[in-house]
Amino acid sequence: GMVRVLRSASALLLAPENYLPVVFMLVGAALALALGIADFTVLALVAESGTPTWLTVLVGVVLIGGPLTAGVIPAVRQIEGVAAQSLLVVQFREGPPGTAVGWEQRRRTLGWFLLHMFTGALVVAAVLGLIALSGSWWTIPAVAATVLGIVLASRLLARLAPVLLGPSYAERLERLQRDATRAAERTRIARELHDSIGHALSLATVQASAARKLIGRDPAFVEAALETIETTTRRAAADLDYVLGLLRDDTQLPAETTPAPDLGSLDGLLTAARSAGLTVVSTVSGELSRLPLLVSREAYRIVQEGLTNALKYSTDATATLNLSLGAGTLDIHLTNPTGQRRAARTGRGLRGIDERATTLGGTTTAGADDGRWTLFVVIPAWEA
């Protein structure tokens, strides 16, 4: 047993990775020694000048306590973090600590700073003890014990550094919540991209097909179709560029200078659908402009996806749209004729509509009945 203990101790003392942590301990010792010498000198001068005892004690408290509270300085967290990472070989999972933000981080940094100074003071005391034992046969065991104690203390500090200098539990929870919010935002952005690009491609496809058939008989229609294709695809390309920029840098939220469309742009959406060849009869009941912005934006996307489906599947290129705001709900009712072969519709579009409605606490009903496809969405809404 004793041989094993001696071997473990010698391996610990001779390990190269222990040298840098010892340097960290010596830095704390140098700070403690410098503070001790300065305080002792000032207190000795004050005592020799005949100053009352109570005042001498007060001066001592200020001289000793003042520098020790330096740990609350925000920059100390970053300095100590760099030292712990480079000398104690500590790996901070969230990256090197920055300057302290808030009193929670300052308190934990102060605790670390005091611990660093305290262990440094122990090193100074140990060295002074070795000087007192010099020439005695206890010198060699005392030196070995001192070195071993410094190594063990440095390892303890290496374990405590992430606890005191790293983020607290509350900070980790807040970071997880931010990450979850960012992930949800990325999902929403991707869905916006699907809706925008899908709608644009559907319009462009229908217009191009019609223009190809009438290219020699109706030049005016062909010109209007090409203009619609150009406008729609240019807007889709702008949306694509904007959204991809957001997805590349997920630390930024959508810019307020590029707001998402809402029901205030409903007329433009209907005009684009009609120019693509879909005859839409629409009615609006209630002041849609008084809807909360979030509800208005999501409702716009629901209508857009519904019109895109009608453009694809309506057997006579007609659709009926009714928006009604009242009694605490926004009702979206869209119908179009449908053939038997396309009575059942599946895909991301309908799922996206249901997801948007569900997110807002609403419901979606969709299906074919007596040769007509019906989409009915009810969203809880209140006037802003």
Side-chain angles (χ1 to χ4, degrees):
M2 181 60 68
V3 175
R4 182 177 300 177
V5 171
L6 292 175
R7 287 180 178 176
S8 299
S10 62
L12 190 62
L13 292 174
L14 296 177
E17 61 270 17
N18 291 325
Y19 296 154
L20 288 178
V22 169
V23 173
F24 183 85
M25 295 286 295
L26 293 178
V27 169
L31 291 174
L33 182 60
L35 178 61
I37 292 175
D39 289 347
F40 179 79
T41 302
V42 173
L43 287 176
L45 293 175
V46 171
E48 290 179 359
S49 65
T51 305
T53 305
W54 66 269
L55 184 57
T56 303
V57 173
L58 180 61
V59 171
V61 170
V62 173
L63 289 175
I64 297 175
L68 291 180
T69 58
V72 299
I73 299 175
V76 172
R77 181 173 185 260
Q78 186 173 22
I79 295 171
E80 288 284 351
V82 172
Q85 190 173 31
S86 58
L87 297 178
L88 292 178
V89 198
V90 175
Q91 295 297 326
F92 295 97
R93 290 185 301 175
E94 295 81 6
T99 57
V101 178
W103 283 105
E104 172 63 23
Q105 286 186 353
R106 293 188 183 189
R107 282 194 297 268
R108 291 190 293 113
T109 303
L110 176 60
W112 169 262
F113 184 73
L114 293 177
L115 183 62
H116 191 187
M117 293 285 287
F118 177 72
T119 53
L122 290 180
V123 171
V124 173
V127 172
L128 293 177
L130 291 178
I131 294 174
L133 290 174
S134 61
S136 170
W137 66 273
W138 286 100
T139 303
I140 294 178
V143 169
T146 299
V147 175
L148 183 60
I150 292 175
V151 171
L152 292 176
S154 66
R155 291 200 169 187
L156 176 61
L157 288 176
R159 288 181 176 274
L160 292 177
V163 177
L164 295 176
L165 295 178
S168 64
Y169 174 79
E171 292 166 347
R172 287 193 177 95
L173 182 60
E174 182 181 358
R175 179 171 296 179
L176 288 176
Q177 290 174 341
R178 288 199 305 267
D179 291 343
T181 300
R182 187 175 298 121
E185 183 65 20
R186 287 171 64 89
T187 301
R188 188 191 68 80
I189 290 172
R191 188 168 59 188
E192 295 282 351
L193 180 61
H194 165 264
D195 292 346
S196 176
I197 300 300
H199 180 71
L201 290 178
S202 296
L203 287 180
T205 301
V206 172
Q207 290 288 74
S209 177
R212 182 177 60 82
K213 295 177 181 178
L214 299 176
I215 192 170
R217 289 179 291 168
D218 193 345
F221 175 83
V222 172
E223 182 179 357
L226 292 176
E227 183 179 357
T228 300
I229 292 173
E230 179 184 5
T231 302
T232 304
T233 53
R234 180 179 288 118
R235 177 178 296 178
D239 288 347
L240 178 62
D241 182 67
Y242 171 67
V243 171
L244 289 180
L246 292 176
L247 293 177
R248 289 192 189 100
D249 183 10
D250 61 0
T251 62
Q252 297 187 15
L253 296 178
E256 293 296 329
T257 56
T258 313
D262 54 34
L263 290 179
S265 305
L266 180 62
D267 289 341
L269 181 62
L270 294 175
T271 299
R274 288 166 181 153
S275 66
L278 181 67
T279 301
V280 184
V281 178
S282 64
T283 57
V284 176
S285 302
E287 289 291 332
L288 300 183
S289 61
R290 297 182 63 84
L291 280 170
L293 185 58
L294 175 62
V295 176
S296 185
R297 287 177 176 177
E298 296 301 304
Y300 176 92
R301 291 302 188 186
I302 290 173
V303 174
Q304 183 185 54
E305 188 60 43
L307 291 176
T308 300
N309 286 337
L311 187 64
K312 292 179 181 178
Y313 301 121
S314 178
T315 53
D316 63 355
T318 65
T320 301
L321 172 67
N322 179 263
L323 274 71
S324 177
L325 174 62
T329 63
L330 173 65
D331 299 339
I332 303 174
H333 190 245
L334 180 64
T335 66
N336 63 265
T338 185
Q340 294 298 324
R341 292 181 299 174
R342 292 183 175 177
R345 299 180 193 174
T346 59
R348 295 187 181 90
L350 191 56
R351 288 199 302 270
I353 290 175
D354 185 61
E355 288 173 2
R356 291 181 186 276
T358 302
T359 300
L360 297 175
T363 59
T364 302
T365 304
D369 183 25
D370 196 21
R372 293 193 68 83
W373 177 268
T374 300
L375 172 67
F376 185 54
V377 180
V378 178
I379 302 173
W382 63 96
E383 294 186 356

